[in-house]
Amino acid sequence: MNIPKLHYISQGKTPEEHLENIQKACTSGAELVQLRLKNVKKSVVLKTAEKAREITAHFQTRLIINDHYQIAKEVKADGVHLGKTDADPAVARKFLGDYYIIGGTANTLDDSLALVKKGVNYIGLGPFRFTTTKENLSPIIPLIGYQGIVEELKSDMPIIAIGGITIDDVPEILKTGVYGVAASGEITKDFNKINAFHKLLKASSTNEQPWDRETNF
């Protein structure tokens, strides 16, 4: 399963703003977007996810739903991202099956090892820096921390650096051995930066294997 190296995590003050930003990200060449709605009713998440699926399907962009793995299956998203206080990845895997992408959040080596055992497809490791979008404040991971975790993990598991990452951070982050990065505010401020991220990550669409929806659904 080929995981894109750049993950755009949606932002917005309303579900409509999230959808507008997902549309802009797709138009600008995003290969994977995560719908991250917090503190809203499940019915609103479902409705927004359905619209996000329509947008991403048009652009053949992969859609990950944050937290709600049942909704991910209902709208035929490509997968789910589970935070540390969300559902157990093993439970989500049993519900979703093998063809859905499951990502999990880690803040430490122990978190990462546990996620590998639970069979996730990628790990979102962070935070790299303080970010106001995360309610649970975990200690910031320095560059040497990323490098240590990647080396100790001894795994082919894709590690996605998360947390307040800017375009200028990417070259140094990649030196630690991480697979890719997730960005939210940096891209929402200027969607043209997606191309710049892709160049740095060497993750242009020509290098990515297409996600074959016919095979997987």
Side-chain angles (χ1 to χ4, degrees), residues 2 35 50 64-65 72 100 120 126 190-191 195 199-200 212:
N2 203 297
L35 174 64
E50 288 171 341
I64 302 292
I65 307 296
Y100 282 80
V120 300
D190 180 6
F191 286 93
N195 268 336
K199 285 175 184 174
L200 288 171
D212 190 345

Side-chain angles (χ1 to χ4, degrees), residues 20-197:
E20 285 171 19
N21 288 331
I22 286 172
Q23 171 96 33
K24 289 173 184 173
C26 291
T27 303
S28 302
E31 294 167 346
L32 183 149
V33 300
Q34 181 190 137
L35 174 64
R36 188 176 188 276
L37 283 174
K38 291 293 183 181
N39 305 316
V40 298
K41 291 180 182 176
K42 202 168 183 178
S43 59
V44 174
V45 177
L46 174 60
K47 189 176 177 183
T48 310
E50 288 171 341
K51 291 177 180 176
R53 176 75 282 184
E54 288 175 18
I55 294 166
T56 54
H58 176 76
F59 289 93
Q60 295 187 313
T61 301
R62 295 180 215 185
L63 174 65
I64 302 292
I65 307 296
N66 184 278
D67 184 6
H68 299 276
Y69 64 90
Q70 300 99 331
I71 287 175
K73 188 169 188 177
E74 187 166 346
V75 303
K76 288 188 167 63
D78 296 287
V80 65
H81 183 89
L82 299 169
K84 290 180 72 175
T85 59
D86 296 336
D88 186 312
V91 173
R93 176 65 72 201
K94 191 172 182 181
F95 182 83
L96 293 170
D98 292 336
Y99 294 115
Y100 282 80
I101 298 168
I102 297 179
T105 298
N107 306 120
T108 64
L109 174 61
D110 286 345
D111 290 344
S112 303
L113 289 167
L115 287 171
V116 171
K117 283 183 181 177
K118 288 179 184 292
V120 300
N121 301 106
Y122 73 87
I123 293 170
L125 181 63
F128 178 71
R129 96 168 24 92
F130 173 77
T131 166
T132 55
T133 59
K134 290 283 184 183
E135 292 81 11
N136 299 320
L137 300 179
S138 301
I140 287 168
I141 302 176
L143 288 167
I144 195 168
Y146 276 97
Q147 187 172 346
I149 290 172
V150 170
E151 289 174 359
E152 287 291 323
L153 209 51
K154 296 182 180 69
S155 169
D156 294 331
M157 175 69 63
I159 302 293
I160 304 292
I162 58 174
I165 291 168
T166 69
I167 197 84
D168 295 333
D169 297 323
V170 174
E172 291 301 314
I173 289 175
L174 290 179
K175 287 179 186 175
T176 68
V178 301
Y179 177 82
V181 300
S184 190
E186 180 80 341
I187 288 174
T188 304
K189 284 184 285 188
D190 180 6
F191 286 93
N192 291 322
K193 283 189 177 174
I194 286 174
N195 268 336
F197 271 105

